[in-house]
Amino acid sequence: MARFTRIAALAAVAAAFAFPALAQTAKVTPLGGIDGEFCPQDRALVFEDPNGTRILYDPGRTVAGADDPRLGKIDVILVSHMHGDHVGNAHNKEPNSGTCEKPDTSVSALPESLAVRIALAKKSKIVSGSEMPPFFAAKLKAGGGDPANAVLARFGGSVTISGIRIATVTALHSNGLDPDYIGGDLGKAMKDVGIAGDVGLATGFIVRFSNGLVTYLSGDTGILADQEVVVRNHYNAKLAVMNMGDGFSTGPTEAAYVINELVRPVSVIASHANEVGTVNGKVRAGSKTEAFIKAVKVPVYVPLSGKTMEFDATAKCTVGC
Ligand SMILES: [Zn+2]
């Protein structure tokens, strides 16, 4: 028995040397509202590629401004759509301000958005789809940054940055640009009649890290045939970050259907619960988060703020889960 174990271990080591990229891991660190918990506003995740490139996905309201010390270097920001809880219309005063249930997100990020402020401070690229890049380019230019850092990846196309391939996929959601980002007479006139600016469709993302790990970031979405036809059949995503908060996107039952029947990944990270998902780091009984975990057939990991998880090329969690 011991002999076989030793042979298996040697084989694993040999495989790791033969395919070094496969043995490398992509790191995922949630930047949520309260350390060690999964809170209602939590969306922001920092992905770190094995080559050191750092990607911030949907900063939302829980990143405490561009000088939040948890950010570090940010090379790329992904914005799924323009709603304030994703692009960031306001944010935490500082990390852990307020409580999990009632965070102190009293700092306005208008009219630039938190995504733009971070991009200006860190000289990050903002990758988005639809007609969002011209908005980001104009805001970057107005802030003294480089408008070329607003990068387009429209449906079916992709961009490769530092060996990481990024594509957008459809999300069944709305994507109105709040007039607060527009300002002036036009912004006021739009606000008075209750309409938003048109920046095209909301999106999700497919990110292929340099170790080969393919990740699906759902964004806010309903159930969509593309989740099978495009996300599974074409991109073959193995790790899914699935929004499951209900009301604004799929709820736990719908999100579980998306995972079990359409995307069929190896591992899932729950996101966007719009509830207190954990208490003292443990999933809260009776929560949507619990219902989602119970309904999904593969491992679901809860994004506890500040707790880094590592995934290998096959989307197996190797550290931190
Ligand atoms: Zn949302």
Side-chain angles (χ1 to χ4, degrees), residues 43 81 83 85-86 173 220 243 248 272 274:
R43 285 104 175 90
H81 65 291
H83 291 162
D85 59 322
H86 294 260
H173 196 61
D220 282 0
N243 294 18
F248 303 93
H272 199 290
N274 291 343

Side-chain angles (χ1 to χ4, degrees), residues 237-255:
K238 297 294 187 205
L239 172 65
V241 175
M242 191 69 213
N243 294 18
M244 38 64 68
D246 218 346
F248 303 93
S249 72
T250 50
T253 310
E254 294 78 13

